[in-house]
Amino acid sequence: MNQNAIRTIRTLLPSTTSVTQEQIDEAINTVLGIPQYSGIDRASLTREVQSIYNIRIDDFRIIEARERRLPWLSERKSSVNWRFWNRYRDYLQIEKNFAPDVLNKLDRLTDRIMDGLFDPTRNVIIDKRGLVVGQVQSGKTSNYTGLICKAADSGYKLIIVLAGVHNNLRSQTQLRLDEGFLGFDTQHQRAFNQNNLWIGVGRIDQGIVAHSLTSSMEKGDFTAGAANALGLNFNTNEPIIAVVKKNAAVLNRLLQWLLAQSVETADGRRVIGNKSLLLIDDEADNASINTKPENDGTTRINGLIRDILRLFDRSGYVGYTATPFANIFIPLTEDDLFPRDFIINLPSPSNYIGPDKVFGFEMIEDDEDSDTVLPIVRRVDDHQNFIPDNLRHRDNFYEYGSDPNGRSEIQLPAEVPDS
């Protein structure tokens, strides 16, 4: 009941962060005057609404190659019907209670990523590479779901999401995109029709069409047979998405299926020229990078990702990761996955709790107060008798509770080498 009341209150408040306590009180008075909400505790309802409107998020930061930048979004923005994005924004606000500041910054950030890519309706040969860096569990999936929605609205007709290396992670990502982008449960049907089982954004608007080559079932990864069984025309003008594992066999099946949709050029190359591709690489530091020595070829997964991108005249690659260390050391070759167009920092909202909130950036004494670090870590300082600080691999150490002094000696195996 509280959540329904909060949703109603939010419709009465402006969609900005500059909301006064007087406006909150007035909206709460209106809602509590509705008979179905009259029994809700005013104080707890007020606290919940205040918490939503007190969440803030910093502006993003970007590093980009200005000589490769081709701004396009501002010119086209007013002519695009942002149905996928508006539906997803409504879903985050109504169903997920996202704070207004978080929603506004998500809108700006996804616009900036889109502008760092390319206009998908232009008949050019182009490829773009970018990277988005964010904290663990800080909203990367919401960010790339918003990016996918805007990409579909603006004219990207094929979207591929590389979702980890395990079936359960791929299935989980597919379900999130079922809820945030497609609007229907792909366990029941992958192609859009009026009989879909509506979930997530589909409960807000059932008239927005997109199709999936994969499903959220544990074994719903890409197969050519399942894709062909959809009866879906690859050249449809409606967006198509595929959520696949970073697995060589799966990626090879996808590549072979895409090759069957391509046409041969005069120089013998196979090309898909009638669709713009957006490829999202979740956890882009894992499995995607070529780890073979220089001049020794490529790893299988890295090579297949590059082959898929190379197949399209117009392709955009955006990696997402919390640990970008390997990505920035990718050799800057013509078609590798180095983020040569942009690297964007994805800021965390003010209610995000990560390592810095738990441990801080420097040692805090037990009797020291901090405004930024949670008081939940206590240092162990009674260990010296049984685990000295300078203990070596071959030293004796003691287990509490055996000899008359409360210790029993334990000798490590002799074959353990010195450190």
Side-chain angles (χ1 to χ4, degrees), residues 55-61 101-102 105 109 133-140 322 345-357:
I55 296 173
R56 299 288 186 269
I57 189 168
D58 293 333
D59 280 328
F60 60 87
R61 288 171 291 179
D101 190 47
V102 175
K105 294 289 174 58
L109 179 54
V133 181
Q135 298 281 354
V136 174
Q137 296 296 314
S138 66
K140 294 190 294 296
N345 177 54
L346 183 64
S348 303
S350 57
N351 63 339
Y352 172 74
I353 297 178
D356 57 328
K357 285 282 183 72

Side-chain angles (χ1 to χ4, degrees), residues 99-119:
D101 190 47
V102 175
L103 283 173
N104 292 335
K105 294 289 174 58
L106 176 62
D107 190 6
R108 288 185 54 237
L109 179 54
T110 47
D111 269 3
R112 188 62 183 82
I113 298 171
M114 287 289 295
D115 204 45
L117 294 171
F118 59 89
D119 182 351

